[in-house]
């Protein structure tokens, strides 16, 4: 450029030769004046001169000077037919103009013509400028053309790569304008691209798309896994995309990042292939001397670790990840040590790996003394997060030792975390008192008042601890150099409980007064007030009165009666007057009553101090889930969690017409309502109607059934939605879900993992494990935004047949973070009722409250078994008729083939018994039901179908429990009957009347033979 534009080269040379800033400004002003003059006579300008002057304007702009003219000339060059002028126009326009500049409207058509044209160079220039500016008008006018260019098979990879990046920029800036509906198939097609440049750009676009709506791109999951397989095997990877022996590390990182937006991968083959790739990455990464290779390999590795944690891999792979990180935190390279500690902290988000992390505790403590402060901070965070009741003593002692040498920038955080760990995991209260007093002694300047307030509260509430705490305070007050906070704690404890030490040497009232009074001249007014109170307490506890001690204390009171501080003056006057009244002093200065137990202010303060990051959120969640063995108790209704099942028979659910804006009021109403429990065994019609709304939960066949069903409750028992405790679909809210909640609930009743709820701000996933009558659900709460979700609340409304325990939910979910909330379930008896999760949060100024049915259905407590003919027929004969053996002709069922019906039964945990029925159109199934209140119960099911009419069948269910028989029959009907959602259905009678027209089934075999099918037909 300089060789062809001599004027530009001379100008740049002149600028560089300027001796100071003033000379440079004079030269720039002179040039700008010359350019302005030439632009006024534009007709006399040649394309070369216009191009040269525009380059000069760009150079002046790059130097930091304002260029407020010449924009029109730069924009006009975009329309030039030749490449040199067009290149200048695009580059300078991209630099000088922002997305809202009026001149950009003038070139929209020109840019569009270049994009849809056949000149690839012009296409690249136009796409680059559109991507750099990314305005709304460009998105509205040009996004469709860019999309066509991206999927065009006739374009070269260079153009398609730029088109993908351009579309990414437009989508990020204007997601509401760029229409990507139905793009899942196109994205899947783009992921089959062999060119790694186009593939990398398309993957960047996919990451943005799935971050906005992952559900629409499930078909891309298997494609992403295939890309990782291709890169892991180094198959068909050009040399120019291999960085220090690593095949396209950028594409690997982006692909694994995209997979983390999907809640889980259910296809077993895809999941297995992905874990093989991740295993290869974990095994093939090591520390080498080449820094660039280390950076690339570790970028891939740590993204793989994040994906492993997201997918909740098997314990063996998790242990391997921790072992690999343990190796990293022991190397000499500080950057690698930092990354190892940071990712090990993130591993705390995963359950069941803390024991593996504990193996590296010694190395983590060593890192606490590293010369690099950033490594020391990460070590402190990790120690804080991994601490529990088993290692609390060791960790807290290490923190106390480090406190003496730690720099001032870390001491406050260090003291706060040591105090919190001591409170949460103290094996006994005396150890807790020792730790806090050591903390105050070593770092008094950095110990907040909340810490010593807390220790005073525990000492006051525990009488057995009071003599020990007073004795320890006496020892510390003997030290010559003492922090003022220690004086406050020591004088308070000795004033309240010093009389308990009266028989110990050196602890009579005179000696205690002498020790405290030595500190009086050196302390601040707030501490003087505490000391005066201690003196008054000593007078109270000295019986019989010691006249010499009394006179000494009165002298001090008289001295401070005219003190400038009003608080101290008032105390001195009142204490002096009270001390002369004898009996009145006993009443006024009686021993402090016990404090009401409440949540520690230290935990709240720690949440304010911690950085708002995903790994800190994990630490915060762990600290809330792990409760103290000795200290933390509460007598208030928890803000989150379930109500004790033992105290609950029937719970009234608050009105479903609650507005989202009245979230706080609705939450209070929910608590007020929940506290009212109906202890009657048979609920009243009004209460049942208030509980169930338009739904009917049918009971077992008994004498009470007609009464319950005559209450006029509308129902749709034939839909899986009838498993709900409350009508949850018509909940007005300013934030609407982006998924069909009813469909998600029904799907999760048949499988153990998936998304339960999603809206623009949060995604709630569920992963469950079931064993006999026990179940464990993990709720995954994922914040989809770049802002935190606050005021998070969760309350479980359980039915009577379940015992539920939900761990505490954090009040804040950080940006782009996911937290896990385990829920333990115990089944007591058979019922189709399910628990309800009352969940709420705040995003900005918007309050959101939803009530979600949890997929804890009856079939979760079934275990399929295979029963032989020798076991089946005796048990079938032993069961009498109703209510333990129920038969019903079911009409309007879904037209399923026999294999499809068998698959449905398998999803409901029913085991198909082959060969027991002669009729090939019939199915026989068996299962075992588990509950805590009874032994395992065998259930037998027979389904007779009509090949000519798949919409009707005869269903027979038999078991040793009439309630179980009825509930199991009804849940099978719910999943087989096909009734439109808009058509209200009446609650069916529990014991159906004989059908008007009998089913045209195969005639029963009357002769009894040795054939199992014949025996079954004869029995029925």
């Amino acid at each position: 450029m300089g060789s062809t534009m001599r004027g530009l080269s001379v100008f740049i040379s002149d600028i560089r030769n300027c001796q100071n800033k003033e000379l440079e400004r004079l030269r720039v002003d002179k040039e700008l004046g010359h350019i302005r003059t030439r632009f006024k006579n534009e007709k006399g300008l040649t394309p070369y001169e216009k191009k040269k002057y525009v380059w000069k304007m760009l150079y002046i702009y790059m130097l930091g000077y304002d260029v407020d003219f010449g924009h029109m000339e730069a924009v006009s060059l975009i329309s030039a037919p030749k490449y040199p002028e067009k290149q200048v126009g695009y580059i300078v326009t991209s630099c000088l103009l922002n997305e809202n500049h009026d001149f950009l409207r003038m070139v929209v058509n020109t840019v569009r013509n270049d994009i849809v044209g056949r000149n690839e160079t012009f296409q690249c220039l136009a796409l680059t400028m559109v991507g750099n500016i990314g305005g709304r008008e460009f998105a509205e006018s040009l996004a469709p053309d860019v999309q066509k260019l991206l999927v065009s098979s006739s374009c070269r990879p260079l153009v398609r790569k730029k088109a993908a990046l351009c579309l990414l920029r437009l989508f990020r800036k204007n997601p509401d304008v760029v229409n990507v509906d139905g793009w899942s198939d196109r994205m899947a097609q783009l992921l089959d691209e062999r060119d790694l440049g186009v593939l990398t750009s398309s993957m960047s676009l996919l990451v943005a798309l799935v971050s906005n709506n992952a559900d629409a791109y499930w078909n891309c999951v298997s494609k992403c896994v295939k890309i990782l397989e291709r890169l892991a095997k180094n198959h068909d990877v050009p040399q120019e995309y291999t960085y220090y022996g690593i095949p396209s590390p950028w594409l690997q990182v982006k692909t694994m990042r995209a997979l983390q937006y999907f809640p889980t991968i259910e296809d077993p083959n895809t999941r297995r292939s992905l874990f093989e790739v991740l295993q290869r990455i974990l095994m093939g990464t090591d520390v080498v001397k080449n820094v660039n290779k280390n950076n690339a390999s570790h970028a891939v590795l740590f993204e793989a670790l994040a994906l492993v944690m997201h997918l909740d891999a098997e314990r063996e792979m998790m242990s391997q990840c921790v072992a690999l990180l343990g190796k990293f935190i022991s190397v000499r390279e500080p950057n690698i040590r930092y990354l190892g500690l940071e990712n090990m902290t993130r591993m705390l988000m995963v359950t069941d790996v803390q024991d593996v992390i504990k193996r590296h505790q010694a190395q983590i403590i060593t890192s606490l003394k590293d010369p690099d402060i950033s490594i020391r901070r990460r070590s402190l965070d990790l120690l804080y997060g991994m601490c529990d009741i088993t290692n609390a003593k060791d960790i807290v002692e290490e923190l106390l030792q480090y406190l003496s040498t730690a720099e001032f920038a870390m001491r406050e955080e260090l003291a706060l975390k040591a105090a919190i760990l001591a409170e949460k995991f103290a094996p006994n209260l005396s150890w807790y008192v020792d730790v806090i007093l050591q903390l105050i002694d070593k770092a008094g300047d950095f110990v907040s008042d909340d810490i010593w307030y807390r220790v005073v509260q525990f000492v006051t509430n525990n009488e057995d601890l009071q003599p020990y705490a007073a004795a320890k305070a006496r020892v510390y007050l003997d030290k010559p150099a003492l922090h003022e906070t220690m004086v406050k704690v020591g004088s308070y404890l000795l004033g309240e409980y010093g009389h308990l030490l009266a028989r110990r040497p050196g602890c009579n009232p005179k000696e205690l007064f002498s020790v405290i009074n030595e500190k009086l001249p050196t302390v601040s007014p707030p501490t003087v007030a505490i000391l005066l109170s201690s003196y008054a307490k000593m007078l109270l506890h000295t019986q019989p009165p010691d006249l010499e001690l009394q006179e000494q204390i009165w002298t001090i009171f008289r001295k401070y009666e005219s003190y400038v501080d009003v608080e101290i003056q008032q105390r001195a006057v009142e204490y002096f007057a009270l001390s002369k009244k004898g009996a009145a002093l006993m009443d006024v200065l009686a021993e402090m009553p016990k404090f009401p137990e409440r949540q520690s202010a230290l935990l709240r303060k720690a949440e304010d101090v911690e950085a708002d990051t995903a790994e800190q959120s994990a630490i915060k969640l762990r600290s809330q889930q792990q409760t103290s063995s000795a200290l933390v108790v509460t007598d208030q209704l928890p803000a989150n969690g379930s109500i004790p099942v033992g105290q609950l028979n029937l719970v009234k659910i608050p009105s479903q017409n609650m507005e989202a804006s009245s979230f706080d009021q609705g939450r209070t109403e929910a608590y007020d309502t929940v506290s009212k429990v109906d202890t009657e065994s048979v609920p009243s019609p009004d209460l049942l109607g208030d509980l169930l709304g338009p739904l009917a939960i049918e009971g077992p066949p008994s004498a009470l059934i007609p009464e319950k069903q005559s209450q006029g409750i509308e129902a749709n028992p034939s839909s899986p939605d009838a498993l709900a405790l409350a009508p949850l679909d018509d909940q007005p809210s300013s934030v609407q879900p982006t998924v069909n909640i009813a469909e998600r609930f029904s799907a999760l009743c048949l499988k153990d993992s998936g998304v339960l709820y999603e809206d623009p701000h949060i995604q709630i996933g569920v992963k469950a494990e079931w064993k006999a009558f026990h179940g464990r659900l993990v709720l995954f709460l994922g914040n989809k935004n770049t802002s935190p979700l606050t005021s998070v609340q969760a309350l479980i409304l359980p039915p009577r047949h379940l015992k539920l325990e939900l761990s505490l939910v954090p009040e804040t979910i950080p940006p782009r973070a996911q937290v896990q909330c385990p829920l333990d379930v115990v089944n007591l008896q058979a019922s189709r009722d399910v628990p309800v999760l009352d969940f709420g949060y705040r995003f900005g100024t918007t309050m959101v409250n939803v009530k979600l049915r949890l997929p804890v259905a009856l079939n979760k407590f079934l275990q399929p078994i295979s029963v032989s003919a020798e076991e089946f027929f005796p048990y079938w004969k032993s069961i009498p008729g109703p209510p333990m053996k129920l038969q019903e002709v079911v009409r309007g069922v879904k037209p399923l083939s026999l294999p499809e019906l068998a698959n449905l039964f398998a999803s409901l945990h029913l085991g198909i018994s082959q060969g027991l029925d002669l009729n090939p159109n019939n199915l026989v199934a068996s299962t075992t039901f588990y509950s805590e209140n009874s032994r395992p119960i065998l259930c037998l099911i027979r389904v007779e179908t009509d090949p000519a009419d798949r919409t009707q069948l005869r269903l027979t269910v038999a078991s040793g429990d009439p309630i179980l028989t009825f509930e199991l029959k009804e849940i099978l009907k719910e999943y087989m009957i096909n009734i439109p959602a808009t058509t209200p259905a009446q609650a069916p009678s529990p014991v159906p009347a004989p059908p008007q027209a009998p089913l045209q089934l195969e005639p029963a075999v009357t002769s009894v033979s040795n054939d199992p099918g014949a025996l079954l037909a004869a029995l029925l």
Side-chain angles (χ1 to χ4, degrees):
M1 180 176 64
S3 60
T4 58
M5 293 186 180
R6 189 169 181 276
L8 178 62
S9 301
V10 170
F11 174 63
I12 295 175
S13 178
D14 291 345
I15 292 294
R16 290 176 176 174
N17 291 331
C18 290
Q19 300 296 319
N20 52 52
K21 189 68 175 177
E22 188 60 31
L23 293 177
E24 179 185 290
R25 182 180 298 276
L26 290 175
R27 183 65 182 91
V28 167
D29 290 342
K30 177 182 177 182
E31 192 64 37
L32 286 176
H34 176 65
I35 296 173
R36 191 190 300 268
T37 302
R38 295 304 307 270
F39 278 171
K40 287 182 180 179
N41 187 19
E42 188 177 357
K43 294 182 179 179
L45 281 179
T46 63
Y48 167 80
E49 290 177 326
K50 183 185 292 187
K51 179 176 63 172
K52 179 180 66 173
Y53 293 138
V54 169
W55 276 129
K56 287 184 178 182
M57 287 169 48
L58 178 60
Y59 182 69
I60 293 171
Y61 178 78
M62 291 169 61
L63 290 176
Y65 296 94
D66 291 334
V67 179
D68 54 2
F69 70 96
H71 298 164
M72 186 64 188
E73 285 72 13
V75 169
S76 64
L77 287 174
I78 294 177
S79 305
K82 295 183 180 180
Y83 172 75
E85 288 82 8
K86 188 179 287 288
Q87 178 199 30
V88 176
Y90 274 120
I91 293 176
V92 177
T93 301
S94 300
C95 294
L96 295 185
L97 305 185
N98 60 33
E99 60 184 74
N100 300 317
H101 205 285
D102 294 336
F103 283 169
L104 290 180
R105 298 191 183 97
M106 302 171 58
V107 295
V108 170
N109 288 333
T110 303
V111 174
R112 185 178 183 279
N113 291 335
D114 286 340
I115 290 177
V116 301
R118 293 295 181 180
N119 191 314
E120 294 177 352
T121 306
F122 291 177
Q123 287 176 326
C124 291
L125 288 174
L127 291 171
T128 302
M129 189 196 75
V130 173
N132 285 335
I133 295 178
R136 188 176 186 86
E137 291 191 9
F138 276 169
E140 293 174 348
S141 305
L142 304 178
D145 298 314
V146 177
Q147 290 172 319
K148 291 178 183 178
L149 208 59
L150 175 59
V151 298
S152 173
S153 58
S154 61
C155 290
R156 289 180 56 193
L158 175 64
V159 178
R160 298 177 63 199
K161 177 171 64 175
K162 288 185 176 294
L165 296 177
C166 178
L167 186 61
L168 171 62
R169 166 72 169 175
L170 295 178
F171 180 75
R172 283 176 176 171
K173 291 283 290 183
N174 308 280
D176 56 326
V177 174
V178 180
N179 183 13
V180 291
D181 295 339
W183 255 69
S184 58
D185 294 335
R186 295 184 181 181
M187 286 306 305
Q189 178 184 352
L190 287 172
L191 296 182
D192 289 329
E193 179 66 40
R194 305 309 298 174
D195 186 272
L196 289 187
V198 177
L199 196 55
T200 304
S201 302
S202 301
M203 190 60 68
S204 300
L205 178 60
L206 178 64
V207 170
L209 294 175
V210 298
S211 66
N212 189 60
N213 181 17
D215 290 337
Y217 297 92
W218 274 101
N219 57 340
C220 296
V221 172
S222 57
K223 304 284 187 181
C224 292
V225 175
K226 289 181 180 178
I227 292 172
L228 288 177
E229 285 184 298
R230 171 187 172 187
L231 297 176
K233 296 176 182 178
N234 204 1
H235 176 67
D236 193 19
V237 179
Q239 184 63 34
E240 58 268 23
Y241 286 96
T242 301
Y243 184 78
Y244 285 90
I246 303 171
S248 189
W250 307 276
L251 180 56
Q252 292 189 55
V253 168
K254 290 178 181 180
T255 306
M256 289 186 282
R257 179 68 55 83
L259 289 173
Q260 292 176 50
Y261 284 99
F262 297 96
T264 184
I265 298 177
E266 299 177 358
D267 182 64
N269 295 327
T270 304
R271 188 177 177 89
R272 184 175 60 254
S273 301
L274 177 57
F275 279 124
E276 289 176 358
V277 173
L278 295 175
Q279 185 76 23
R280 185 191 294 264
I281 294 174
L282 296 178
M283 296 294 293
T285 305
D286 206 347
V287 180
V288 295
K289 292 184 178 180
N290 190 298
V291 176
N292 292 324
K293 184 172 183 179
N294 269 341
N295 292 339
S297 62
H298 292 149
V300 175
L301 172 66
F302 291 128
E303 201 65 45
L305 290 174
L307 183 57
V308 169
M309 288 185 281
H310 174 76
L311 296 176
D312 199 11
E314 291 76 9
R315 180 179 174 84
E316 182 180 353
M317 181 172 282
M318 290 294 184
S319 301
Q320 182 182 350
C321 294
V322 176
L324 186 61
L325 293 174
K327 183 170 66 173
F328 284 169
I329 66 176
S330 60
V331 301
R332 296 181 59 184
E333 173 61 35
N335 291 335
I336 297 176
R337 283 206 309 279
Y338 179 91
L339 292 173
L341 291 168
E342 184 181 43
N343 281 271
M344 195 173 282
T345 306
R346 290 178 177 174
M347 290 292 289
L348 294 172
M349 296 175 67
V350 183
T351 56
D352 301 330
V353 298
Q354 191 176 16
D355 291 338
V356 185
I357 295 177
K358 286 180 186 176
R359 300 173 190 170
H360 307 279
Q361 181 173 317
Q363 185 60 45
I364 298 170
I365 291 174
T366 303
S367 299
L368 197 60
K369 301 163 186 172
D370 194 274
D372 191 330
I373 188 173
S374 59
I375 293 178
R376 294 198 297 273
R377 287 187 181 277
R378 295 287 77 77
S379 302
L380 176 60
D381 291 340
L382 182 52
L383 286 172
Y384 177 71
M386 64 186 283
C387 185
D388 60 17
I389 191 65
T390 62
N391 60 359
K393 272 193 171 183
D394 296 334
I395 291 179
V396 172
E397 287 174 4
E398 287 293 338
L399 295 182
L400 289 175
Q401 290 181 11
Y402 175 57
L403 193 59
S404 303
T405 58
E407 56 274 281
F408 292 108
M410 287 185 63
R411 287 196 181 185
E412 183 175 2
E413 180 184 4
L414 191 61
L416 177 63
K417 290 185 174 179
I420 292 172
L421 296 180
E423 178 180 336
K424 289 183 63 62
F425 305 114
N428 53 71
L429 290 173
S430 59
W431 179 83
Y432 170 70
V433 172
D434 288 340
V435 169
I436 299 302
L437 292 180
Q438 288 184 58
L439 201 61
I440 296 173
D441 185 47
K442 292 179 182 243
D445 287 331
F446 303 95
V447 175
S448 66
D449 288 342
D450 289 330
I451 295 177
W452 78 267
Y453 291 166
R454 191 67 171 161
V455 75
V456 166
Q457 177 185 340
F458 282 121
V459 173
T460 304
N461 288 8
N462 294 271
E463 294 182 2
D464 296 339
L465 186 63
Q466 291 166 2
Y468 179 83
K472 296 297 291 186
R474 172 71 175 86
V475 172
Y476 276 99
L477 287 177
D478 272 339
K479 290 188 175 184
L482 205 61
H483 193 274
E484 189 167 328
T485 303
M486 183 63 77
V487 177
K488 293 179 182 178
V489 180
S491 61
Y492 180 90
L493 293 177
L494 290 181
E496 287 285 340
Y497 313 112
H499 63 283
L500 302 176
L501 309 178
R503 296 183 179 181
R504 301 189 185 186
C507 294
N508 62 58
K510 282 186 179 180
E511 291 172 316
L512 295 182
F513 169 75
S514 176
V515 170
I516 297 176
N517 198 43
E518 288 177 358
K519 319 298 180 186
L520 182 60
T522 61
V523 295
S524 61
T527 309
V528 171
I530 296 176
L531 266 58
L532 294 180
S533 299
S534 299
Y535 297 156
K537 293 276 186 175
M538 287 181 179
L539 286 179
L540 169 68
H541 295 306
T542 305
Q543 297 297 333
D546 186 323
L547 298 180
E548 182 181 352
L549 175 62
Q550 186 178 31
E551 186 57 37
Q552 288 178 317
I553 294 177
W554 283 356
T555 302
I556 296 174
F557 286 162
R558 286 192 292 265
K559 173 184 175 182
Y560 284 99
E561 282 181 345
S562 57
Y563 195 73
V564 65
D565 188 282
V566 177
E567 172 70 18
I568 296 176
Q569 183 185 119
Q570 181 177 359
R571 290 195 185 209
V573 171
E574 293 179 357
Y575 288 153
F576 183 63
L578 287 170
S579 62
K580 293 185 176 183
K581 293 184 180 295
L585 187 65
M586 300 288 291
D587 296 333
V588 176
L589 294 180
E591 187 173 314
M592 284 290 292
K594 291 185 177 181
F595 291 92
E597 295 292 345
R598 53 184 178 269
Q599 182 187 6
S600 172
L602 296 181
L603 299 180
R604 293 195 298 269
K605 186 171 182 179
E607 292 174 359
D608 296 336
V609 171
E610 287 176 353
D612 198 9
T613 60
E615 54 267 27
Q616 294 294 348
S617 172
I619 297 172
K620 189 188 306 180
L621 176 62
R622 291 185 57 82
S623 69
Q624 291 174 338
Q625 291 176 349
Q626 299 171 336
T627 56
S628 168
S629 61
L631 305 182
V632 179
V633 290
T634 176
D635 57 356
Q636 300 173 1
L637 184 66
N640 303 291
S642 61
I643 304 168
V645 178
Q647 304 172 7
L648 187 64
N649 285 332
L650 191 61
V651 179
K652 290 181 68 178
I653 299 176
S655 171
Q656 301 295 317
N657 296 323
M658 185 192 310
E659 295 293 336
S661 60
S662 60
F663 173 84
D664 292 334
Q665 178 184 356
R667 178 69 59 186
T668 305
E669 293 172 1
Y671 287 153
D672 291 343
T673 308
V674 166
S675 63
K676 301 173 184 177
V677 180
D678 185 359
T679 57
E680 296 180 7
S681 58
V682 181
S684 66
D686 291 339
L687 185 57
L688 187 65
D690 185 76
L691 171 66
L692 301 179
L695 298 176
I697 307 299
E698 298 174 347
S702 65
L704 294 176
I705 289 177
E707 178 185 351
K708 289 185 180 180
Q709 293 186 342
S710 65
Q711 295 169 358
I713 305 174
E714 299 178 2
N716 185 3
S718 304
S719 166
D721 297 348
L723 293 172
L725 258 176
L728 306 176
D729 295 331
D730 300 327
Q731 302 178 40
S733 175
S734 59
V735 176
Q736 297 299 324
T738 58
V739 296
N740 189 315
I741 302 177
E743 290 181 0
R744 290 303 175 94
F745 168 78
S746 301
L748 286 171
C749 287
L750 301 179
K751 61 182 182 179
D752 291 334
S753 62
V755 176
L756 177 65
Y757 172 83
E758 186 171 1
D759 62 30
H761 308 313
I762 196 169
Q763 182 184 77
I764 303 178
V766 174
K767 184 175 182 180
E769 295 179 353
W770 308 94
K771 185 175 182 181
F773 55 83
H774 289 284
R776 183 177 177 85
L777 283 80
V778 179
L779 301 178
F780 295 85
L781 310 179
N783 184 355
K784 300 166 58 177
N785 298 284
T786 56
S787 300
L789 301 180
T790 58
S791 302
V792 179
Q793 302 270 353
L795 178 69
I796 297 294
L797 306 179
R800 295 170 56 184
H801 71 287
L802 295 176
K803 286 196 300 188
L804 301 169
E805 183 177 351
L806 177 67
S807 62
L808 292 181
V809 179
E811 293 185 0
T812 301
I813 303 179
R816 299 291 187 188
Q818 183 187 77
V819 297
Q820 301 178 16
C821 305
L823 172 64
D824 293 321
V825 182
V826 176
N827 183 38
L828 303 179
Q829 67 180 43
S831 175
R832 287 172 296 129
D833 298 350
V834 296
V836 172
L837 172 65
D838 187 356
F839 184 80
Y841 66 90
R842 180 202 297 268
F843 178 73
T845 58
T846 303
M847 303 300 252
V848 182
N849 179 231
V850 294
K851 294 180 176 61
L852 306 171
R853 294 162 291 179
L854 294 178
V856 187
L858 172 66
N859 56 288
K860 302 296 186 179
F861 305 103
L862 301 177
Q863 183 66 39
I865 60 171
S866 179
V867 179
S868 64
E870 292 76 11
E871 299 169 321
F872 182 90
F873 293 112
Y875 187 72
W876 187 272
K877 290 180 180 179
S878 67
I879 301 177
M884 290 190 290
K885 182 186 290 183
L886 298 178
Q887 185 177 96
E888 181 175 346
V889 176
V890 185
R891 290 183 169 83
V893 303
K894 300 176 183 178
L896 301 176
S897 64
L898 215 58
E900 291 174 333
L901 191 59
N903 289 336
L904 175 62
F905 276 24
S907 300
L908 292 170
H909 297 181
L910 306 179
I912 304 298
S913 299
Q914 304 290 344
L916 290 184
D917 198 319
L918 275 178
N919 192 333
N921 296 312
N922 298 346
L923 280 181
V924 177
S926 54
T927 188
T928 303
F929 173 75
Y930 292 90
S931 68
E932 187 181 48
N933 295 341
S934 65
R935 69 183 190 284
I937 302 175
L938 178 63
C939 308
L940 304 179
I941 301 99
R942 188 191 191 209
V943 177
E944 302 167 86
T945 66
D946 183 3
D949 186 1
R950 291 288 184 187
T951 62
Q952 59 180 348
L953 52 82
R954 178 183 292 143
L955 173 65
T956 308
V957 180
S959 77
D961 181 6
I963 297 178
L964 174 60
T965 302
F966 177 82
E967 296 289 346
L968 184 57
K969 175 179 74 72
E970 293 303 314
I971 198 172
L972 292 176
K973 285 171 52 182
E974 289 168 1
Y975 280 97
M976 290 190 297
I977 290 181
N978 183 15
I979 296 180
T982 57
T983 304
Q986 298 297 324
S989 173
V991 182
Q996 296 294 330
L999 275 170
Q1000 301 299 318
L1001 298 172
E1002 298 278 339
V1005 180
T1006 56
S1007 60
V1008 179
S1009 65
N1010 292 329
D1011 186 274
L1015 289 172
L1016 178 63
L1019 288 172
L1020 297 174

